[in-house]
Amino acid sequence: MKFSDINIRDPFIVPENGNVYLFGASPKSIIFGVYELLEKYLGIRFLGVDYSHVPTSDSLEISEEVVKRVPISAQRIYLSYPGCENKLLSLRYKFSADFTPDCSDLGIKTKWYTKIPTSHNSECFVPYEKYKDSHPEFFNTHRYELFRTLTVRELCYSNGLTDEGQWDESMETSVLSVATDSMMRFMEEDESAEYFMFGRADNEDCLCRCERCTRAREKYGDAGIMIVFMNAMAKKLRQRFAEKGKAFDKKLVTFAYGSTVEPPVKDGKPICKQVIPDEALYIRYAPILAD
């Protein structure tokens, strides 16, 4: 293979004339290639945060094969908190996710907005302490016993929407308007970020049971409620970007998790047009109860 034949968008380990060359689409893929080489040809195994197996050898043989690794998904990780939180190990394990350590000192910039948690973060958009007195209807609060008493809150996701699932222009302040204002502010704070997570609370018991949410749940299902809410947000954000003369090139992300894992479909088709995700909305599939 000649260098002129190589598409450097893909990661490569290329042996040629007694040398080994690494090609990659980004600084991170080059680093992944280094660890791939160490594992494949030197037999090194990175077994944990504090231990690597480094065998001894009197010789080093590198075959003439070209090694190419193209991941099937942009984000990949298994949930191992020591590995996620340790920068060196996350690189050795070739993790690529929003909650892996910051590697900006290596020229690696995450595409995620990380100034707030990138998982269950709905209250970062509509802060309870700010709105609990002026708009208590924004929140559903649930207390339960599990080892200790916990209080979990969730937002009312019908607040700010019409019965047809559109932005309710008659409401000056709503869960939807406040959450959208927060999302716009986050996007302006970090214009280089591409993915913006909006994740509901991590407990099924705290889902809002108000009359409008109950009707919406019967109509759309839990997953449909979140998609309708996020679709309205995406539409408004696109409008605001256009007013500023900018293209809306951001990606909103929300969970398929817990009761929202089941998609709002029937016989393989969307139950209605309102539950078809906006082109800017990405669904983060997290089947927590899977075997």
Side-chain angles (χ1 to χ4, degrees), residues 76-135:
R76 56 202 181 276
I77 195 166
Y78 59 82
L79 195 58
S80 165
Y81 286 112
C84 297
E85 296 167 358
N86 184 284
K87 178 166 66 175
L88 183 59
L89 200 64
S90 71
L91 292 172
R92 289 174 169 176
Y93 283 0
K94 307 177 187 67
F95 286 166
S96 183
D98 52 302
F99 51 91
T100 48
D102 176 55
C103 296
S104 55
D105 57 322
L106 301 175
I108 300 170
K109 172 84 168 61
T110 179
K111 293 183 178 181
W112 288 74
Y113 180 78
T114 57
K115 294 183 180 181
I116 60 173
T118 55
S119 55
H120 307 287
N121 61 10
S122 55
E123 202 167 313
C124 295
F125 290 83
V126 186
Y128 177 72
E129 291 299 325
K130 182 175 181 179
Y131 291 99
K132 64 178 181 178
D133 296 323
S134 60
H135 293 280

